[in-house]
Amino acid sequence: MGGLRWYLAKVEAVAVRVVLLGVAVTGVVAQFVKPVGDALQDKVFLGGALLSLIAYVLYDAVKGLVGAGERPQARVRINSRELGPYIREAFRAREVSVRFIGYTGETLFNEVYHRLEALLESPRRTRKVTICILVPDFSVEMAVPSAVGTDGEPVDDRQFRERVARSCRDYEQQLLGLEEQFAEDRRVEARFEYRSFRGIPRDKVCILNGDVVLHGLYDVTTRQRHPELRREFYDPKGFDTNLHIRTRQEGTEEAVETVDHWVKHFDGMWRLAAATSTRRGSS
């Protein structure tokens, strides 16, 4: 559907340009080719033609500016800090779906929270929002996150795991607070949920409306020193993770198969994942 809208917009833009340019060219020709001028019998047509030519140039420029401001540029890779335009584009849909696999969900939370607040104020055409977030199960021993041992080996640290888990719960609670507000407002159906999987935070995946996939790999050997804990930890930095982009709008069979693969992979992990404590009683 998104591809069809893009195609119709392109046809419309070309049609407008052809009409404006046609009027301009006809007016100019009328001034120098007497039979054409006599046929038109309008001595002020040159002014109208020039105005049409100016309108053509301005239209082309404005379309370029509007397109650049509203839509993310076609790219094959972005940094996680550049996720915003893709989230904004996804929130134009009538039904918004965000599937995310990551470390804590912080990157996604920072991008969607204020958009959800704006949606509460003015839903526009959006009628449903679903956000599903998969994070590691921090209740078990892990190699990442972990403390850095004497020889660089990962040493499980329950205190640090609990600290990361609290961050996840904090983001989840804030999203659930918005979900309650949507339920009271009743204009938009909203469902937000965290679930956990057994494993280290290796993949960072964001699937938007089942059409766009952004995928990257955390640097699991990233070390960060936390002075208050007086130790160095293996603690991936999500904001520095590069994300490769695939979309159905690419129009190739390979791109569609890649998107379908990630959607199927996420949905399988989601079904197998245990709901976190907040949801466990209702899932």
Side-chain angles (χ1 to χ4, degrees):
M1 196 63 185
L4 178 60
R5 287 195 296 268
W6 176 86
Y7 177 78
L8 292 176
K10 285 290 185 183
V11 171
E12 176 192 4
V14 171
V16 173
R17 290 188 181 98
V18 169
V19 172
L20 290 174
L21 189 58
V23 172
V25 171
T26 302
V28 173
V29 170
Q31 301 302 308
F32 299 100
V33 181
K34 192 173 185 302
V36 177
D38 291 341
L40 293 173
Q41 295 180 349
D42 188 349
K43 297 302 182 182
V44 298
F45 199 85
L46 179 60
L50 291 175
L51 288 175
S52 297
L53 186 59
I54 293 171
Y56 172 83
V57 174
L58 289 175
Y59 176 83
D60 200 59
V62 170
K63 285 292 288 184
L65 288 173
V66 171
E70 292 185 350
R71 312 281 185 195
Q73 297 180 356
R75 298 169 63 181
V76 296
R77 190 178 72 172
I78 64 169
N79 186 270
S80 290
R81 293 184 177 90
E82 303 172 284
L83 185 61
Y86 296 87
I87 298 295
R88 179 171 64 245
E89 181 67 16
F91 269 73
R92 296 176 184 273
R94 185 175 181 83
E95 291 192 10
V96 179
S97 170
V98 180
R99 300 171 171 96
F100 184 84
I101 303 174
Y103 185 19
T104 63
E106 179 182 9
T107 303
L108 180 69
F109 176 84
N110 289 336
E111 294 296 343
V112 303
Y113 188 83
H114 296 300
R115 302 210 176 280
L116 292 169
E117 286 186 319
L119 206 59
L120 275 168
E121 294 291 328
S122 177
R124 297 186 179 182
R125 69 189 303 270
T126 302
R127 292 295 174 266
K128 183 177 181 179
V129 181
T130 305
I131 299 177
C132 300
I133 300 174
L134 274 170
V135 296
D137 182 354
F138 299 107
S139 67
V140 298
E141 293 188 6
M142 302 179 72
V144 178
S146 64
V148 179
T150 306
D151 297 320
E153 75 278 11
V155 178
D156 180 64
D157 189 294
R158 187 179 68 179
Q159 182 182 7
F160 189 69
R161 281 193 282 107
E162 291 176 348
R163 172 180 173 150
V164 178
R166 283 195 299 271
S167 295
C168 292
R169 287 194 296 270
D170 180 57
Y171 298 138
E172 182 184 24
Q173 288 300 322
Q174 292 185 65
L175 288 176
L176 292 180
L178 286 177
E179 182 184 298
E180 292 177 359
Q181 293 182 56
F182 278 109
E184 294 173 0
D185 184 74
R186 297 186 179 182
R187 289 181 294 175
V188 177
E189 179 184 349
R191 173 77 175 180
F192 311 139
E193 185 174 356
Y194 266 70
R195 288 187 183 182
S196 59
F197 65 91
R198 291 292 178 94
I200 66 173
R202 189 197 70 170
D203 296 279
K204 183 171 187 174
V205 183
C206 188
I207 305 173
L208 303 173
N209 296 345
D211 292 326
V212 179
V213 175
L214 302 101
H215 169 244
L217 294 172
Y218 291 105
D219 181 356
V220 295
T221 62
T222 298
R223 298 184 182 190
Q224 297 194 63
R225 179 168 293 279
H226 295 268
E228 67 277 18
L229 299 178
R230 300 180 181 180
R231 295 192 72 175
E232 191 176 34
F233 294 87
Y234 287 116
D235 186 19
K237 297 174 66 176
F239 287 113
D240 286 341
T241 303
N242 289 325
L243 301 172
H244 295 271
I245 307 167
R246 300 309 304 265
T247 75
R248 296 188 189 278
Q249 281 65 43
E250 292 174 42
T252 66
E253 182 177 351
E254 190 264 342
V256 172
E257 288 179 351
T258 299
V259 173
D260 286 342
H261 165 79
W262 279 110
V263 170
K264 181 179 179 181
H265 174 69
F266 180 93
D267 289 350
M269 287 189 65
W270 185 255
R271 286 193 297 271
L272 295 175
T276 53
S277 58
T278 306
R279 289 289 197 181
R280 193 165 288 139
S282 59
S283 297

